[in-house]
Amino acid sequence: MVNSENWDWECKEKLVADTTKWKSQFEDVWEPYISPDGEKIASIVKVGEGEFNIAVNKETWGEEPFEKIWYPRFSPDGRLTALITKEMEWTMAVDGKTWEEMYEYIWDTKFSADGKVIAATTKQDGVYGITVNEKTWKCPVNLQSIASYVISPDGKTLAAIAQTVRLAEADLDGFLKGTWSVVVNGKPWKDNYVDIYGLTISDDGKNIAAEYRAAICEYGIVVNETPWNEKFGCTWEPVFHPTNSDEITTPVRQGGQWFLATNGRIVWDTGFVSLLYQTYSPDGSKIAAAVAPQFAKWTVAVDGQPWSTTFNECLLKPCFSPDGRKVAVIAKDSGNWLLVVDGTVLGDGYENIWPPAFSPNGDKVIYKVEKNGKYAVAVNGKVKGKEYEALWNPVVSPDGTKVMICGVEAGKYYRKVVLLSDL
Amino acid sequence: MKPTIVKREPVVDDALDHCATKLTPEQIEKVVNEVIDKETGGRLWTYVNTCIHCGLCAEACQWYLSNDRDVSYAPVTKVKDTIWVMLEKKGKVDAAFIKRCSEIAHTECNVCRRCGMYCPFGIDIAYMMMVVRRICAKLEMVPLYLQDTVHSHAATMNQMWVKPDEWIDTLQWQEEEGQGYVPSARLPLEKEGAEVMYSVIGPEPKFLAQLLGNITAIMKVANIDWTMPATAGWDNSNMAMYSGDFEVMARVERLHYETAQRLKVKKIVMGECGHAFRGAEYDGPTWMGWMRPPIPLIHAISFYYDLIISGRIKIAKKAEGPITVQDPCNVIRNAGLGKKLRYIMNAVCENFVDVTPNDRHNYCCNAGGGVINVGPPWKKKRVQGNRIKAEQFKRTGAHTIVTPCHNCHSGIEDIVNTYKLGMHVKFFSEILIEAMEIPEDLQP
């Protein structure tokens, strides 16, 4: 995990960078990204015809430009990564220093929770792989494609949904025999499947699960290469229990309705028109999910019990307060995005709402909102403080007393720390 | 009831032929009754019991008209020869019957819904064909190339087996192509909070990449804050909807919208495709339990209409005429964009010549509804089945047909070639890119 205790929680406000200067300094400036601690802001900048660099606060990544740069992402430990080309070949750059190996292509940068592991999907000589801290998987079979991959919090386990068998054009039988599998740290699972979806690793890194497709309309869950005995008309992505990784829960479809199943057994006996985004409370004692008890009537069900308030468009993923007592969700109703806690709508509707953060005791919910093209921080349904041209998600300090707010005002990027009690 | 006299040239489709040898009566009975009992309801029964077998629907169908009014192509016959029999026999039908059902529903009906307009009771005959397709799909009785396309959707979340790196690489290449028109144009990948997510269908990066370059330039001239995803979820098309594999359909649509939600855009603007609009606007959301798309979806016709009428794009030089248009069923008949289409056609064409019949009453291109996706074995029948479309275009005297839909585009190219019409087939954006004014400060 990122150790945010070492961040500066004392300085009330600092002007980190005047990004207005970038516009006169460079031919073009792309959208900015900030480091997790808020101390750095970076943008890809165009410095000449077919020449790009990255501006970070008052500096750039050296004098030598790159042919292309994209996907700038800060690691949790504050290093800036980006994908770059030199002489038509691609690689990763970390704080301006490129990996030694070059690739036909590289994409989808991911990090371990502490940022020490940097990974990406790579392609070389037509073969796909995952490259982890500059070392590419040595896989016993040539991977034909990688659809996606996941990384455990400790960075020790990486698992990919990969095509392990070459498929001829329009080979329906070959496809149904299975050409996709899960590859863990370079080692494919023994079986191939028609399709694999919803790949996930438990928080302790010990267990890996995914949805698999057994036949045209037959789906199941496979955990550590062993499929559940039960099969369903459809499934969505499984989720591991946060403290007991032997337990896994997923939405399953039977007889035209969606149910919640744990380890193959239906645990919510009420069927729903739709059921998505099941989420465990931090201690794993409760489960919340977005459900539609009726068509176009969306709400949250906690342990199978739906809230009475419903919303007519959609719901995003619910989240629990740290103590597990409250559940917040972003809902859409009649064109407005709403923040809802335990079935109660907080404040007005907005053009956009970003995932909320709870205070440690759950009495405050803090989130970024957008209205009339400007961004602000809202707390329990009320906008607090200034509007920004750009704003990042507010971060609550580890002791729960302060909030870091990072935003751009009049082209200048500020990092602010405010007392939670003042919000 | 008298059996229908069906005269067809034999077509070899390995998937249908193979499936017909392995299906058992028990499997068929189980699936037919499962679908009818659990996936349909009052709607199917109302349609079946309301139909008075008058046959007025026949005159609506391009298959029937193009085949010299062969009654075996009439919509009512297609219903009579499929779902009626399944209901009457309570699913006790054989594999040869199911194979014929697939031929009818997948290769001889475009689910274009023109027949529903001519039915005195407004029966949605296409819905009944979709039920037939659903039954066939669950029995794996789907034409080979359509099923292969559905497998592509299922495995890659796009229609054309495009791999993740190929997608991103193509966008980066086409960004440079767009800069040929407007040097400062950019194709922004993964830009969170952009106003618009632009989504396309699989054939664009695969075969028609220049359309991505065009939109890069158009977005810059119109000063749109936009983005495209660098992940799966970029493809808005959905042939699984048309094979009858609704689970794959829903997974594709869900990812499309979750990608837009992840990027926090206000709306999705989609390229020129009709069936993709249907899947993303209606069928996908309905299956997911959404009353409407969770992020508003704008078809290219509406988008270009807004850009032109608002003056965000000005026309410098209209395309020289005569130019005509194809009304894609899923966005014109079924979504009412006919007037907007005519507005933008008149805006960019010096001499726009309309088709007759037109707008909601226009004939289907005969490629939509997944029919072109059943592939080469069925092409001859498909092209013969739309002679009236060729005759319609010929009457316009146009040198170019604009098709704001990929399936229309491909199907009409086949008709133009077969019937030797000597016309060009273009997307609207291909006309617009040449006609629009590029402001001085954006010029090369």
Side-chain angles (χ1 to χ4, degrees), chain A residues 30-31 68 105 123 128 144 197 211 213 235-237 274 277 296 298 313 332 352-354 370, chain B residues 144 148 151 154-155 163-165 168 172 176 186 192 245 251 254 258 264 266 288-290 292 294:
Chain A
W30 295 6
E31 56 279 4
K68 279 182 188 167
Y105 209 75
K123 180 184 171 190
Y128 291 78
Q144 308 294 311
Y197 307 110
E211 300 169 66
R213 189 173 179 216
T235 53
W236 295 137
E237 54 279 2
S274 213
Y277 313 137
W298 287 87
E313 292 206 35
K332 196 176 185 195
N352 252 325
I353 298 179
W354 275 255
E370 181 183 0
Chain B
L144 188 145
D148 183 61
H151 287 337
K163 295 177 181 180
D165 56 304
I168 307 165
Q172 290 171 330
E176 292 173 4
R186 187 183 157 213
E192 186 190 289
D245 190 336
R251 194 177 292 273
R254 183 186 158 200
E258 286 181 345
K264 290 286 178 190
K266 304 287 191 314
M288 286 298 302
W290 294 322
R292 61 177 72 94

Side-chain angles (χ1 to χ4, degrees), chain A residues 337 350-354 368-371, chain B residues 193 264-266:
Chain A
W337 290 100
Y350 295 97
E351 289 161 21
N352 252 325
I353 298 179
W354 275 255
K368 171 186 167 184
V369 298
E370 181 183 0
K371 198 156 198 172
Chain B
K264 290 286 178 190
V265 297
K266 304 287 191 314

Side-chain angles (χ1 to χ4, degrees), chain A residues 101-226:
Chain A
E101 199 73 35
M102 304 298 286
Y103 308 93
E104 271 178 56
Y105 209 75
I106 181 168
W107 74 102
D108 199 9
T109 312
K110 286 191 167 76
F111 308 99
S112 59
D114 64 4
K116 299 285 185 275
V117 174
I118 299 173
T121 317
T122 52
K123 180 184 171 190
Q124 188 63 292
D125 300 324
V127 176
Y128 291 78
I130 302 292
T131 301
V132 187
N133 285 349
E134 303 199 53
K135 284 188 183 158
T136 304
W137 280 355
K138 289 192 182 346
C139 194
V141 295
N142 283 347
L143 301 180
Q144 308 294 311
S145 182
I146 290 179
S148 63
Y149 73 101
V150 288
I151 182 168
S152 63
D154 65 6
K156 290 179 180 167
T157 307
L158 290 94
I161 298 173
Q163 187 185 344
T164 51
V165 178
R166 186 183 290 274
L167 185 69
E169 190 183 345
D171 179 1
L172 303 190
D173 287 341
F175 184 78
L176 290 177
K177 280 178 192 156
T179 57
W180 291 83
S181 192
V182 173
V183 181
V184 182
N185 292 341
K187 188 180 170 203
W189 279 2
K190 62 182 189 301
D191 293 324
N192 290 312
Y193 299 87
V194 178
D195 289 302
I196 294 275
Y197 307 110
L199 183 62
T200 183
I201 304 177
S202 60
D203 285 351
D204 60 11
K206 290 178 181 166
N207 296 314
I208 295 170
E211 300 169 66
Y212 75 100
R213 189 173 179 216
I216 289 288
C217 287
E218 198 171 78
Y219 296 78
I221 301 296
V222 54
V223 185
N224 298 334
E225 308 197 50
T226 305

Side-chain angles (χ1 to χ4, degrees), chain B residues 24-35:
Chain B
T24 65
E26 294 76 23
Q27 278 176 289
I28 295 170
E29 184 179 355
K30 182 170 177 280
V31 167
V32 169
N33 291 321
E34 258 179 17
V35 171

